[in-house]
Amino acid sequence: MAHDDEHLQHDEPDYVSTVRSARLDKDAYFKHAPGSPIPAAARHAFGGLPYFAVDPSLRFVDLALEPYAGSEPSSFQIPTSDGQLRPAHRAGTLTFEVDGEPRRLTAYVLDGSHGDELFVPFLDLTSGRETYGAGRYLDLEPKEDSTYSLDFNLAYHPYCVYADTYSCPLTPAENRLPIRIEAGERLATNVSPH
């Protein structure tokens, strides 16, 4: 599908080191920045976020945003972790292939989001075990040709994993993948999420 294997082979070492570098930057932000979601009292013990190993095969490039063709309304209220409702819009779907099987995720635009950014929350068979039970997130920006890259290595947990003072959108049922996505952030084995 839009999985550019030849391109990945040529830049894989650079790609892996770029993802690893971004993870180190995020760890530094979480440990030291005033806007960190880690409660201040716990930052001294924060040793970095746990991740799955970088897997270039779970990076999909040049995906077209297909019109949403599901049975749910285009505009709706997405529930949040604190019981609120946030206005959202189904912008379309992205189709990709994992282990030879086509998969699809719906992309959303949340009220108040910036520019053309798409919000893609998802659940998979790691959710509630190795990853947060309410899902992980991807934020996608369109490329110049209006296609998107869907990179599960960049999947992250919502801030409500770290502190219950945050309001995080919950993953709609249509974005449940019946497979394991072993990429991106995972939960620490000795810490239970909020």
Side-chain angles (χ1 to χ4, degrees):
M1 190 121 313
H3 195 147
D4 193 346
D5 291 319
E6 181 180 336
H7 179 69
L8 288 178
Q9 290 171 357
H10 293 312
D11 76 349
E12 188 172 313
D14 287 343
Y15 166 72
V16 171
S17 61
T18 298
V19 172
R20 287 180 179 156
S21 177
R23 290 175 174 183
L24 291 173
D25 290 346
K26 185 169 186 175
D27 285 346
Y29 176 84
F30 271 37
K31 186 164 183 79
H32 302 292
S36 170
I38 305 291
R43 287 187 202 159
H44 71 284
F46 176 72
L49 296 172
Y51 292 94
F52 290 101
V54 178
D55 183 350
S57 76
L58 290 172
R59 172 189 180 214
F60 304 91
V61 298
D62 302 327
L63 298 180
L65 183 66
E66 302 158 11
Y68 177 73
S71 59
E72 298 295 326
S74 179
S75 293
F76 70 110
Q77 301 282 321
I78 192 166
T80 63
S81 58
D82 61 352
Q84 303 298 309
L85 293 172
R86 185 167 175 191
H89 175 79
R90 288 177 170 88
T93 56
L94 298 162
T95 303
F96 54 96
E97 200 172 285
V98 177
D99 296 331
E101 293 288 327
R103 305 293 178 191
R104 177 176 289 123
L105 288 172
T106 300
Y108 308 92
V109 175
L110 299 177
D111 260 20
S113 60
H114 304 291
D116 297 325
E117 184 176 277
L118 297 178
F119 173 63
V120 182
F122 69 95
L123 293 162
D124 66 283
L125 295 183
T126 70
S127 301
R129 295 173 183 86
E130 296 113 303
T131 62
Y132 185 48
R136 291 181 286 163
Y137 296 168
L138 291 165
D139 298 319
L140 311 183
E141 294 280 349
K143 295 190 280 188
E144 286 184 19
D145 64 359
S146 298
T147 64
Y148 293 85
S149 290
L150 183 79
D151 188 346
F152 287 108
N153 294 291
L154 305 180
Y156 66 94
H157 284 125
Y159 278 8
C160 52
V161 167
Y162 312 106
D164 55 13
T165 55
Y166 292 95
S167 177
C168 304
L170 302 178
T171 302
E174 65 199 350
N175 274 9
R176 293 181 182 177
L177 296 172
I179 56 173
R180 290 175 60 82
I181 298 293
E182 296 180 7
E185 288 182 19
R186 62 187 305 166
L187 295 174
T189 54
N190 60 349
V191 176
S192 61
H194 292 273

